[in-house]
Amino acid sequence: MPRRERYLWVCRNQRPPDHPKGSCGAGGSHEILDALKAGVARRGLRHRVRICESGCLDLCWTGPAIAVMPDHVFYGRVRATDVPEILDALEAGRLVDRLVLPPEAFDEPARSGG
């Protein structure tokens, strides 16, 4: 198998529903991962793109999160409704700019309540 142009690592970390950090799994990342894999196959992109599952990407407060490599960017607050746009961007060899997390998004917000 050739090296792919892009690898998307979809966080599937699942925490208990009452956990204060939340989790990408609770935000729908399982469905996002499945839809991306199916879309890549349906569009014939398997030789260009690889969709991978990941454990925690340490961006829980922006989840569901996806690492996009080799671009070294992260998508955040991804929803299942974003999958067609992500697939279109993969086909075109570009990023979905509105989903790219800015540098300040990497700072974990302070939690109240101790």
Side-chain angles (χ1 to χ4, degrees), residues 29-113:
S29 67
H30 297 86
E31 294 80 11
I32 292 165
L33 177 80
D34 292 343
L36 285 169
K37 283 185 172 189
V40 163
R42 187 174 49 254
R43 293 180 186 220
L45 297 173
R46 284 186 169 163
H47 291 289
R48 293 179 50 207
V49 177
R50 175 87 164 120
I51 306 299
C52 308
E53 66 180 85
S54 171
C56 186
L57 295 172
D58 225 6
L59 290 165
C60 311
W61 53 93
T62 67
I66 299 174
V68 184
M69 298 301 162
D71 301 282
H72 301 287
V73 300
F74 290 82
Y75 289 160
R77 298 173 188 86
V78 179
R79 299 290 171 247
T81 54
D82 296 320
V83 169
E85 186 176 0
I86 293 170
L87 291 168
D88 289 345
L90 289 169
E91 264 186 321
R94 59 178 173 75
L95 296 170
V96 181
D97 292 330
R98 70 178 182 80
L99 295 176
V100 174
L101 291 173
E104 61 273 10
F106 291 83
D107 296 327
E108 183 173 3
R111 287 183 268 159
S112 61

